[in-house]
Amino acid sequence: MNIVVVGAQWGDEGKGKVIDVLSEDADILIRFQGGHNAGHTVVADGEEFIFHLIPSGLLHKGKVGLIGNGVVIDPEALLEEMGRLASRGVDVQRCVKISDQAHVIFPYHKRLDLVEEATRPGRLGTTGRGIGPCYVDKSARSGIRMADLCNRETFAEKLRQNVIEKNRWLKALYNEPPCSYEELLERYSGYAKRLAPHVVNGTRFLRAAMQQGKRLLFEGAQGTLLDVDHGTYPYVTSSSATAGGACTGAGIPPTRIDRVIGIVKAYTTRVGEGPFPTEFPSALMDVIRAKGKEFGATTGRPRRCGWFDAVIARHAVWVNGCDSIAVTKLDVLDEMETIQVCVGYHDPSASKAAGGAGGTGAIDEFPSDTSVLARCQPVYESLPGWRQDTSEVGRFEELPEAAKRYLKRLEVLLGVSICLISTGSKREQAFKVGSIGSAA
Ligand code: GDP
Ligand code: IMO
Ligand code: MG
């Protein structure tokens, strides 16, 4: 069984936690896009671990993790993460594999990311990790891949060309000082030596694993609404964070994916700029941010929080082809008296333009034009809260009735069943469910 797990909102849905739980039943864990802009948290045996580039299931013994070709790798960040994992007793020498086709992030990518953010008319709120500029080079066909990095001659030549080009940009567009070719060549050659033993032909590696009957678990980073095509463009990341990205970003055929699981929080969050129709007013924002500890796992930035938005989640269920969803952070809503769910939007300009000629401005589909989403007002349905602690609940049947009603309503609104519920950050605070009822 090969399973793809993706975020079905704007990232930070709890992918790390869910992947850790699902990893028990998998052999090979694969990241297929994004880079160290991701921060996936696992809390195991009372200790927190944040994964950035390495698949989140590796705290389990005997698993192997592949960083796929669709990922962009900052070698310094990766080596640091490997070091931290090793100090937790994980045999990183054995279990971390890296695709030779993955692209490499250099300091000039990071510098370009930062100066572009500082000078573009509308900020995107990127993580400043050089992710976008590295994917630009990949698409422009000037990028440097892991295979190049590990080949001294190819690397020296490709780096020379890149440094000449990037120094031109930095000077002409931003009046920034140049990067040193010699310094980069030396530093990155050192990284290459340390990473080379982990580098494999990713496609071949996964094909062999499948032929041996190994179970694969693909871990999306970011989320559907941050996908470069299907998200709230341009307020997105630069990769394909949807399920299709698992095929291109790992080199496996679409026909070999058996299941897709989307992850949603019981409410919604987003970091960075861009439209967010259900964003809370500030008083409620403070309450949920504190209770849900909604601060970025990578940058520490406070996350924007809002009610569950069924319109965006339904869009995510469709574009990913989700067979089921996992709902996390239900416990964060434990104290709410009333819970709102956004079931549609109202577009005030559309109803005005229609002038009463039949157009009401009612929208129930995700608008692909981000400027429409930006002016949409949420239409809410109110449900009673449960005002009970759910953090110790171990079975669906033990949940308070109002919590069950809330989850069943989400199933109906999304047209998909829930397969897992999480009520706390710890590994034990999650339980699998079959279909819990009402979805078709
Ligand atoms: P990811 O990027 O999707 O892996 O999510 P992050 O790790 O960035 O953010 C999720 C945060 O919520 C982390 O701090 C997790 O430890 C925490 N978390 C995950 N599931 C739950 C849950 O069910 N309840 C609570 N209270 N926290 C959770
Ligand atoms: P995980 O995997 C939440 C957001 C940034 C910014 C936009 C573009 O932990 O869910 P980038 O640096 O990628 O060019 O920034 O994407 N972003 C994330 N938001 N979770 C993430 O990852 C994110 N990775 C990028 O905040 O709005
Ligand atoms: Mg995160």
Side-chain angles (χ1 to χ4, degrees), residues 91-281:
D91 182 4
V92 289
Q93 291 313 321
R94 186 193 64 84
C95 70
V96 175
K97 308 281 178 204
I98 306 166
S99 163
D100 58 358
Q101 293 170 296
H103 280 250
V104 181
I105 297 182
F106 288 86
Y108 48 75
H109 291 128
K110 187 173 169 179
R111 284 181 58 194
L112 283 166
D113 194 356
L114 296 174
V115 288
E116 282 165 6
E117 265 295 270
T119 54
R120 74 162 61 87
R123 290 179 64 237
L124 301 178
T126 73
T127 60
R129 301 289 194 269
I131 307 295
C134 186
Y135 279 114
V136 166
D137 279 0
K138 173 176 176 174
S139 294
R141 294 154 296 177
S142 55
I144 297 177
R145 309 205 286 187
M146 286 305 298
D148 305 323
L149 181 71
C150 296
N151 177 324
R152 173 98 201 159
E153 270 169 34
T154 315
F155 178 52
E157 182 49 27
K158 288 203 170 193
L159 182 68
R160 199 179 60 79
Q161 288 165 10
N162 268 283
V163 169
I164 291 171
E165 182 197 50
K166 274 20 174 232
N167 281 346
R168 268 198 213 125
W169 289 4
L170 285 166
K171 173 84 184 121
L173 298 177
Y174 307 108
N175 201 25
E176 284 275 316
C179 304
S180 157
Y181 169 67
E182 286 73 22
E183 190 269 326
L184 285 182
L185 182 65
E186 194 190 326
R187 181 143 62 96
Y188 274 67
S189 298
Y191 298 148
K193 234 181 239 155
R194 294 167 66 192
L195 291 176
H198 299 269
V199 175
V200 297
N201 175 327
T203 313
R204 202 192 299 160
F205 177 79
L206 291 183
R207 191 178 64 220
M210 282 192 253
Q211 282 164 349
Q212 290 162 26
K214 303 270 194 225
R215 301 158 300 174
L216 313 186
L217 182 60
F218 295 86
E219 172 177 357
Q222 289 79 52
T224 304
L225 278 299
L226 288 172
D227 180 280
V228 67
D229 287 283
H230 302 292
T232 46
Y233 192 90
Y235 302 100
V236 293
T237 191
S238 301
S239 64
S240 298
T242 38
C247 299
T248 52
I252 54 135
T255 45
R256 300 305 292 270
I257 293 176
D258 300 301
R259 290 272 184 286
V260 178
I261 299 176
I263 307 186
V264 291
K265 269 181 197 171
Y267 48 101
T268 312
T269 62
R270 124 163 257 181
V271 206
E273 306 303 315
F276 183 179
T278 63
E279 190 163 8
F280 289 139

Side-chain angles (χ1 to χ4, degrees), residues 11-15 37-41 296-298 303:
D12 303 325
E13 296 90 350
K15 296 179 291 292
N37 48 351
H40 297 180
T41 315
T298 295
R303 294 175 183 150

Side-chain angles (χ1 to χ4, degrees), residues 11-17 38-43 48 50 56 219 222 265 291-297 303 327-332 422-426 429:
D12 303 325
E13 296 90 350
K15 296 179 291 292
K17 154 97 197 244
H40 297 180
T41 315
V42 175
V43 182
E48 184 182 84
I50 300 176
S56 305
E219 172 177 357
Q222 289 79 52
K265 269 181 197 171
K291 170 99 173 133
K293 300 198 177 77
E294 295 295 356
F295 295 89
R303 294 175 183 150
V327 180
T328 63
K329 304 194 97 159
L330 188 69
D331 56 299
V332 177
S422 169
T423 61
S425 57
K426 295 185 198 139
Q429 291 173 304

